[in-house]
Amino acid sequence: MERDIREFISYLHNTKRTSHNTEVSYQRDLKKMESFLSDRGIREVRDIREIDLEGYLDYMERENFASSTISRSVASMRAFFQYLFKERKIEKDPTDNLKPPKVEKKMPEILTVEEVDNLLKQPDLTTPKGIRDKAMLELLYATGMRVSELIHLKTQDVNLQFGYVVCHENGKERIIPIGNVSRDALLLYMEKARKVFVKDSSETALFTNCSGKAMSRQGFWKVLKSYADDAGIKRDITPHTLRHSFAVHMLQNGADIKSVQEMLGHSDISTTQVYLSMNMSKMRDVYMKAHPRC
């Protein structure tokens, strides 16, 4: 089974062009399944039955795994066994009738416009680090991009003349417009601060750490956390909080959901629609003030 899992991960990487994080997640889930089944004497994929996988899910529930973790494991198993069936390594897909537990969807955490303004005021623009941090935060909020997209931006992905950036994720790219505030922050960074950090002329990463190497997720997380503390934001915010805040604030100010979907890079509009419910109170106030029979 271990070899089958390796071949599946290789298939995801080479054929499906999945992200590294996706591949790590699938491998972790399938390794746990493999360990459970091996302990019960099941070591070949052709011997795995639906009842064996149901036993694994029962075990996860008894051990109080989160519903979201179990659901993710079911998705990993389905993808794995569909691949095996397609490759004719098994005669029947044992996940055909496998049902994940219902996951209660939590509303995304968002910041108010005032909180975002206060957060973005925190970097010290008299220092190269502050100029860099200001540019990163402004760009993240201006575009709603993922932190992985932010840290993988190259200098050639930014067009300050026409005001847009090009995001790359999983072999796809999308163009996102930027406003004057984020454009000016980027311009200041590229003219004044980036050259302080980057000594190697071959380095193409837009944002780097103080050593001139590409910024990491953990590095940016620490930057955001520090400024959130300085701004007095008590909630445990993450880079995704700015992405959520971008979406809700855009909708509150009249953006159509299709445009927000495209800017966020959501393949399914239902993923974007969760932000509509968060905007409902705003729309209700507008309705009550504007409708002639209210």
Side-chain angles (χ1 to χ4, degrees), residues 22-33:
T22 297
E23 291 159 17
V24 169
S25 177
Y26 274 123
Q27 188 167 39
R28 181 177 58 242
D29 292 340
L30 295 174
K31 284 285 188 181
K32 289 178 180 178
M33 176 201 72

Side-chain angles (χ1 to χ4, degrees), residues 59-96:
Y59 156 78
M60 296 181 79
E61 290 183 358
R62 288 196 307 272
E63 294 296 315
N64 295 317
F65 281 76
S67 295
S68 56
T69 300
I70 302 176
S71 293
R72 192 195 64 222
S73 295
V74 171
S76 298
M77 290 189 290
R78 279 180 175 160
F80 177 55
F81 286 103
Q82 285 170 3
Y83 159 79
L84 293 174
F85 183 72
K86 180 181 176 182
E87 295 294 314
R88 298 184 178 179
K89 294 189 176 187
I90 56 175
E91 294 182 359
K92 185 179 185 301
D93 182 351
T95 65
D96 274 346

Side-chain angles (χ1 to χ4, degrees), residues 263-294:
M263 284 184 278
L264 290 173
H266 287 160
S267 57
D268 189 338
I269 199 168
S270 64
T271 309
T272 319
Q273 285 172 335
V274 67
Y275 299 115
L276 282 176
S277 60
M278 302 179 73
N279 192 34
M280 189 57 69
S281 59
K282 172 80 172 181
M283 290 193 295
R284 187 179 293 111
D285 289 343
V286 172
Y287 176 84
M288 295 300 290
K289 291 176 182 177
H291 198 282
R293 296 185 68 83
C294 287

Side-chain angles (χ1 to χ4, degrees), residues 160 179-189:
L160 294 179
N180 289 333
V181 175
S182 57
R183 178 188 173 278
D184 291 345
L186 271 173
L187 182 61
L188 182 63
Y189 164 67

Side-chain angles (χ1 to χ4, degrees), residues 139 143 145 149-150 152-159 163-169 172-178 206:
L139 186 59
T143 60
M145 67 175 67
E149 295 171 329
L150 178 78
H152 286 114
L153 283 175
K154 305 296 184 186
T155 53
Q156 62 264 30
D157 293 326
V158 179
N159 189 316
Y164 68 82
V165 295
V166 182
C167 281
H168 304 270
E169 183 77 4
K172 300 177 182 178
E173 68 175 41
R174 68 185 190 281
I175 296 175
I176 312 176
I178 57 175
L206 177 61

Side-chain angles (χ1 to χ4, degrees), residues 84-243:
L84 293 174
F85 183 72
K86 180 181 176 182
E87 295 294 314
R88 298 184 178 179
K89 294 189 176 187
I90 56 175
E91 294 182 359
K92 185 179 185 301
D93 182 351
T95 65
D96 274 346
N97 299 311
L98 209 60
K99 288 184 171 55
K102 290 186 177 179
V103 179
E104 182 180 347
K105 288 189 176 180
K106 295 181 180 178
M107 297 301 286
E109 186 78 46
I110 66 164
L111 301 176
T112 65
V113 173
E114 292 73 22
E115 285 175 322
V116 172
D117 284 342
N118 195 22
L119 175 69
L120 298 180
K121 288 176 183 175
Q122 297 308 312
D124 180 1
L125 298 185
T126 65
T127 67
K129 180 182 180 301
I131 293 173
R132 180 204 64 188
D133 296 346
K134 172 76 168 176
M136 287 194 296
L137 292 171
E138 288 285 1
L139 186 59
L140 198 64
Y141 178 61
T143 60
M145 67 175 67
R146 302 172 180 89
V147 65
S148 58
E149 295 171 329
L150 178 78
I151 63 174
H152 286 114
L153 283 175
K154 305 296 184 186
T155 53
Q156 62 264 30
D157 293 326
V158 179
N159 189 316
L160 294 179
Q161 180 180 358
F162 293 102
Y164 68 82
V165 295
V166 182
C167 281
H168 304 270
E169 183 77 4
N170 298 335
K172 300 177 182 178
E173 68 175 41
R174 68 185 190 281
I175 296 175
I176 312 176
I178 57 175
N180 289 333
V181 175
S182 57
R183 178 188 173 278
D184 291 345
L186 271 173
L187 182 61
L188 182 63
Y189 164 67
M190 296 180 77
E191 288 184 345
K192 303 290 186 182
R194 187 175 181 273
K195 60 186 176 184
V196 175
F197 305 123
V198 180
K199 307 302 182 186
D200 183 356
S201 60
S202 66
E203 178 59 67
T204 59
L206 177 61
F207 295 114
T208 73
N209 57 28
C210 294
S211 300
K213 303 299 182 184
M215 175 70 66
S216 66
R217 295 170 64 96
Q218 293 83 359
F220 179 75
W221 192 294
K222 290 178 181 177
V223 167
L224 176 61
K225 177 64 176 171
S226 175
Y227 288 126
D229 290 342
D230 292 344
I233 299 172
K234 303 302 182 183
R235 286 173 285 168
D236 187 21
I237 73 171
T238 70
H240 232 61
T241 307
L242 283 178
R243 179 171 163 86

